[in-house]
Amino acid sequence: LPLPLRQLRQRALAVVDVPAVYFVRQPGKAVRESPWLLGRYVYRASRPLELRDWGSGIAGFLNRFGSPLVNPLLVGDLVSAHYPRALAGTLHLDDVPQLFVRANHYGEAFKIRTIIEPGDTPVLDESVLWAEEELQRRGLTPLPQGP
C-alpha cells in the first residue's frame, strides 16, 4: 500500500469509496474486437455515476453508485452491495478520485442500453488494454461474442 493508505489503515480505515465508472462501445459503432470484456468497451463516462435527487446532502458517498473496498474486520454490513456500514470510530475514505482507483463496469456486456448520462460525452480510455496481452499469455479462455 502507498504510505498515505498504510497510515490510514493504522488509524482504522474501514472503507475506501471506489467510484464506479461505466464503459460502453463508441456511440453508434460496433463493439471493439477483443476476446476480453475489458477490451470490447473502451469509451467511458467522463465522471462516476451519481444518483440524482437521492441520498444525502451531507454524506456524499450515499449518492454514488460505487464499489467499496472494505476491511471485513471493520465493516459489519453492505447495504445493496454498494453502501458499507462500518463500525463506530472507524474511517471512511470518501470521494476518491477515479484517477487514483476506480471499478470499471461494462454497461453493455449483457444487453445494449443507455448508460452514459444525458449531456455527458464519452471519453476514449484504453488504459486497461495492456491486460489483453497478459490474459492471452496466461491462456485464459476468451469470452463468446456479446451483444
Side-chain angles (χ1 to χ4, degrees):
L1 285 173
L3 181 60
L5 287 181
R6 274 187 272 159
Q7 291 171 341
L8 287 171
R9 185 177 65 182
Q10 292 167 351
R11 294 180 50 215
L13 176 63
V15 178
V16 176
D17 178 41
V18 178
V21 178
Y22 274 103
F23 279 74
V24 298
R25 70 185 73 216
Q26 183 177 3
K29 304 286 183 179
V31 172
R32 179 182 175 274
E33 289 291 324
S34 175
W36 317 108
L37 184 65
L38 57 83
R40 292 179 185 173
Y41 304 98
V42 294
Y43 283 82
R44 65 170 170 78
S46 67
R47 57 190 179 274
L49 178 66
E50 293 204 15
L51 305 171
R52 298 175 200 262
D53 303 320
W54 189 86
S56 172
I58 297 170
F61 66 92
L62 294 175
N63 303 343
R64 281 190 295 282
F65 181 76
S67 295
L69 290 176
V70 302
N71 178 338
L73 300 176
L74 300 177
V75 173
D77 190 19
L78 279 174
V79 178
S80 299
H82 296 284
Y83 306 100
R85 291 184 178 171
L87 301 176
T90 60
L91 297 176
H92 188 126
L93 188 56
D94 185 21
D95 206 15
V96 176
Q98 71 183 36
L99 293 175
F100 176 71
V101 65
R102 69 180 187 213
N104 293 357
H105 287 262
Y106 299 95
E108 296 178 328
F110 301 106
K111 73 176 195 170
I112 298 171
R113 58 190 177 138
T114 303
I115 297 295
I116 305 293
E117 294 184 22
D120 193 4
T121 302
V123 175
L124 177 63
D125 184 338
E126 297 177 325
S127 61
V128 74
L129 293 184
W130 63 268
E132 284 184 315
E133 187 176 310
E134 182 63 23
L135 293 171
Q136 181 98 25
R137 188 184 69 74
R138 291 177 182 242
L140 295 175
T141 305
L143 294 173
Q145 289 292 9

